[in-house]
Amino acid sequence: MNKYTYSLFSLNHIEELTNQHTPIHHLHPIVKLFFTLFFIIFTLTSTSYALFSYLFLLCLIILICFLAKIPVKEMLKRTLIGLPFSFFLGISNVILMPTPINFYNIPLTIGLLSMIAIMVKTFLCLAIVFLFVATTPLEDIAGAFVMLHVPYFLISIILMTYRYIFLLVEEAGKMHQAYLLRHFKKEALEMKHMGSFLGLLFVRSLHHAHLVDDAMSLRGYDPGHYYGVHQPIHLDDIFLILLMAGMMLIMKVVLS
Amino acid sequence: MNFMMHMADGLISIPVGIIFYVVIGFLIAYAIKKCNTANLSHKVALMGVMGAFVFAGQMINFTIPGTGSSGHILGSIMLAMVLGQYPAFLSIVAVLVIQALLFGDGGLLALGCNIFNMGVLPLFVAYPFIVKPILNKFGINGKTLTIASILSCIVGIELGALSVSLQTLASHITALPFTAFIALMLPIHVVIGLVEGLITSAVVGFVYKYSPSIIEDALHMTNTVESKKASLIIGLCALVVAGGLSLFASSHPDGLEWSIANITGSTEIEDKNKTKKDIAQVQEQTSLLPDYSFKDNDSPLSGASAGVIGAGVVLVVAGGVGYLLSKKHRHE
């Protein structure tokens, strides 16, 4: 499978995950968004020594995966790709902070503990964002942004970009495949062809954009008007999220 | 190759993340207002599709000759040269939001920082101060498009890489010294910027040959930077940096002091020359904010206040000199 097909498959797969019916999927998007941000802030305010906090957060992630019927393997695949830069940054701490410490009877250095903490925090933040996106369709996320008074002009652009990614990635894939078929034994574009390749893709995209724009204008599209349906927030949504947030705060107080 | 610029949440602190969210919030509101003023509100589809184009373009890896590695474009400057500054900024915001949400490419809290590094710096610094002056002064042709593309891409990407370093260091995540961090980040991003500049010039050149009006319309879409509003925005940014980010400044000695300390055991060199000692004494007595804080007060708030006061004094002095010079020029 080439990378274009793989990207489209990944995007489609996320859309399939959002179409499930579980208690987590039925929570209001804005409540999930606030919980995600709260989780990220909670994670980032934990110190390098907060082992039990990290274990608790990891258990929470796995619990959400279980309740939302999201495969843990899928979650790990999406989050581990974000770790390399954290690793390289953490390596510098290992070198520059060699003071040894005894961490729960495990001989470590401050630098090594710091590196592990950076990577764990990165993983937890990526995991919670993936779970948010895998349980909330993008249209509902857009609705949550509208409720937060983010200008609908920007939200329209985000939604339009998302919709046309499928079309243009497929177009780019076809053009790339045609290029490779004409240039025997090549695996990637040569730099000297990049300009005309991208230029042609741009011109095709622009032509398509004008067609879409004209079609939408003819149908009376108003970029300032929200065409979605505002979902009401239910008390049980708020109760569940407050319960999870409360548990996290209690764990932080107890474990600190 | 550009993965280093998509910062994850674990690499920044909460105050840094929030500060940059506030900054880009203002800039997004400003860009939306400019698009409405330029009657571009009906071009949502155009901006969305162009954002998707950048996304698709970022997937196309090209081999970099002589290195054995490959890279992909960022696309900010390219988009600005074909769409205009403010529509390009909104498109890049859309791309980065989708990358953060759907691909885990950059964190949610770090989204403000990523938009600042990859959107604001190329489009609000490199584009108006490099691309627009070159194209307005020397006209639009193959040479000017090439020079403008390469210079703006290098400057934009370098500023982004520098900003990543500053944000990570301000968050106190790494023990890596600032000089070592930028020594790792900046040189590689010069190469990335050069390659991106070459590709941008090739693409924009192709588009210019296809339809010159696309490039001309994008260039003349908005007026040149309005000085009053630009001053206000820059002033606000100075206030945030001097009064806000300074609270998280490192207390470690800077590169020069660190080097001196390694050699002499102290961060300052004691001078035995009498004249120099007298001058130093005068400076000590006359300085209002010694060592960037109030006298006998080393608290972070004192440092922040000193930063704000200092920025204000620079504004008054530089603004005053500029006003006098412009008055003299008008008189002549």
Side-chain angles (χ1 to χ4, degrees):
Chain A
M1 190 190 289
N2 65 39
K3 64 176 173 187
Y4 302 99
T5 315
Y6 181 75
S7 299
L8 292 176
F9 173 75
S10 295
L11 279 173
N12 275 326
H13 190 53
I14 291 183
E15 287 219 341
E16 282 171 17
L17 289 173
T18 62
N19 287 334
Q20 296 180 102
H21 295 281
T22 68
I24 303 291
H25 284 77
H26 291 149
L27 288 173
H28 195 279
I30 207 169
V31 165
K32 282 190 273 188
L33 177 63
F34 277 123
F35 178 75
T36 304
L37 289 170
F38 179 77
F39 187 100
I40 292 172
I41 290 170
F42 184 92
T43 305
L44 294 182
T45 51
S46 301
T47 63
S48 300
Y49 307 101
L51 172 68
F52 291 111
S53 275
Y54 294 135
L55 284 172
F56 170 71
L57 293 171
L58 190 61
C59 292
L60 201 56
I61 293 283
I62 293 169
L63 177 67
I64 296 173
C65 282
F66 175 71
L67 288 173
K69 293 183 190 168
I70 307 288
V72 174
K73 199 176 161 189
E74 182 73 32
M75 187 263 298
L76 286 172
K77 212 166 55 170
R78 301 277 180 164
T79 49
L80 292 176
I81 53 167
L83 294 183
F85 191 39
S86 308
F87 173 76
F88 287 118
L89 208 65
I91 280 285
S92 63
N93 287 4
V94 173
I95 297 166
L96 295 168
M97 295 157 78
T99 312
I101 52 162
N102 202 345
F103 183 70
Y104 293 101
N105 293 325
I106 304 168
L108 295 173
T109 63
I110 293 178
L112 184 60
L113 190 63
S114 165
M115 181 183 95
I116 295 168
I118 290 172
M119 292 182 70
V120 167
K121 284 183 187 182
T122 304
F123 166 75
L124 288 170
C125 292
L126 286 171
I128 196 66
V129 171
F130 169 72
L131 289 173
F132 170 60
V133 165
T135 55
T136 319
L138 193 66
E139 286 79 13
D140 291 351
I141 297 176
F145 287 152
V146 168
M147 288 179 76
L148 293 172
H149 300 290
V150 174
Y152 190 61
F153 186 62
L154 180 64
I155 295 169
S156 303
I157 296 172
I158 293 171
L159 288 172
M160 205 69 66
T161 303
Y162 177 67
R163 283 292 146 226
Y164 282 93
I165 281 171
F166 293 89
L167 200 68
L168 292 185
V169 167
E170 206 178 317
E171 184 71 36
K174 280 186 214 167
M175 287 173 63
H176 196 196
Q177 189 64 33
Y179 175 88
L180 292 176
L181 285 170
R182 287 195 298 271
H183 293 80
F184 192 57
K185 285 189 181 174
K186 295 272 186 246
E187 287 179 8
L189 251 71
E190 287 182 40
M191 257 196 70
K192 60 183 178 184
H193 299 138
M194 196 66 178
S196 54
F197 186 97
L198 280 177
L200 193 57
L201 181 62
F202 171 78
V203 163
R204 288 186 185 182
S205 307
L206 191 65
H207 177 67
H208 199 97
H210 282 307
L211 287 175
V212 169
D213 190 56
D214 290 341
M216 287 167 72
S217 300
L218 282 170
R219 284 161 177 79
Y221 176 74
D222 176 8
H225 179 78
Y226 176 56
Y227 291 94
V229 176
H230 282 297
Q231 296 176 43
I233 301 177
H234 299 294
L235 275 174
D236 47 357
D237 295 338
I238 299 173
F239 173 73
L240 188 61
I241 293 304
L242 282 177
L243 181 69
M244 289 171 101
M247 276 166 59
M248 286 162 67
L249 281 171
I250 289 168
M251 288 304 287
K252 197 173 183 78
V253 168
V254 163
L255 294 171
S256 67
Chain B
M1 283 170 77
N2 282 337
F3 74 88
M4 286 193 220
M5 305 254 293
H6 284 83
M7 297 173 74
D9 282 333
L11 303 177
I12 59 155
S13 64
I14 295 160
V16 169
I18 291 173
I19 285 170
F20 279 93
Y21 256 116
V22 170
V23 169
I24 60 124
F26 280 116
L27 290 170
I28 288 172
Y30 181 68
I32 290 172
K33 191 180 168 216
K34 291 300 277 186
C35 285
N36 286 333
T37 309
N39 204 22
L40 289 169
S41 54
H42 64 287
K43 293 289 184 190
V44 164
L46 181 67
M47 287 182 239
V49 176
M50 288 299 107
F53 159 74
V54 165
F55 194 92
Q58 287 184 354
M59 293 188 58
I60 301 166
N61 271 38
F62 51 86
T63 48
I64 299 173
T67 62
S69 67
S70 63
H72 66 79
I73 57 161
L74 190 60
S76 310
I77 298 289
M78 186 193 306
L79 217 52
M81 289 173 85
V82 294
L83 271 189
Q85 182 183 1
Y86 301 108
F89 177 60
L90 294 175
S91 296
I92 290 290
V93 168
V95 170
L96 291 171
V97 165
I98 288 170
Q99 285 177 338
L101 286 176
L102 293 167
F103 293 91
D105 209 357
L108 204 58
L109 188 67
L111 186 58
C113 297
N114 288 328
I115 293 174
F116 185 85
N117 300 337
M118 289 182 279
V120 172
L121 290 171
L123 296 172
F124 285 81
V125 178
Y127 178 77
F129 291 107
I130 298 175
V131 175
K132 279 184 127 171
I134 291 175
L135 296 183
N136 280 329
K137 193 169 178 186
F138 300 105
I140 303 175
N141 55 56
K143 267 190 199 159
T144 54
L145 286 173
T146 303
I147 293 168
S149 302
I150 292 174
L151 278 177
S152 57
C153 284
I154 290 176
V155 168
I157 287 178
E158 279 297 278
L159 285 174
L162 180 65
S163 182
V164 166
S165 314
L166 290 170
Q167 286 156 358
T168 312
L169 288 166
S171 302
H172 302 300
I173 298 293
T174 176
L176 203 59
F178 177 63
T179 43
F181 204 147
I182 57 171
L184 287 169
M185 288 286 281
L186 296 188
I188 184 74
H189 282 89
V190 170
V191 178
I192 294 170
L194 178 64
V195 171
E196 171 126 5
L198 289 169
I199 293 170
T200 301
S201 71
V203 173
V204 174
F206 179 94
V207 173
Y208 186 66
K209 280 183 195 157
Y210 168 75
S211 172
S213 61
I214 293 175
I215 308 297
E216 284 157 9
D217 288 345
L219 183 64
H220 301 120
M221 184 175 288
T222 51
N223 295 330
T224 50
V225 177
E226 295 165 24
S227 58
K228 275 186 193 164
K229 281 191 179 161
S231 306
L232 183 64
I233 289 167
I234 292 168
L236 277 170
C237 290
L239 201 67
V240 165
V241 171
L245 281 183
S246 63
L247 289 169
F248 307 101
S250 171
S251 56
H252 293 302
D254 64 25
L256 179 61
E257 288 171 340
W258 178 81
S259 306
I260 294 170
N262 276 342
I263 299 164
T264 66
S266 164
T267 54
E268 288 179 359
I269 298 174
E270 197 184 321
D271 209 310
K272 292 184 178 139
N273 184 291
K274 192 183 174 301
T275 309
K276 286 183 184 174
K277 273 185 172 176
D278 291 340
I279 293 170
Q281 213 174 2
V282 168
Q283 188 190 20
E284 209 180 296
Q285 283 170 358
T286 56
S287 61
L288 298 168
L289 300 165
D291 218 7
Y292 298 96
S293 60
F294 294 115
K295 281 183 181 168
D296 302 325
N297 186 342
D298 282 335
S299 70
L301 210 55
S302 162
S305 307
V308 171
I309 293 167
V313 169
V314 167
L315 175 67
V316 167
V317 170
V321 167
Y323 174 72
L324 289 169
L325 284 172
S326 67
K327 203 177 169 186
K328 179 174 181 277
H329 178 73
R330 276 197 299 271
H331 183 69
E332 282 167 4

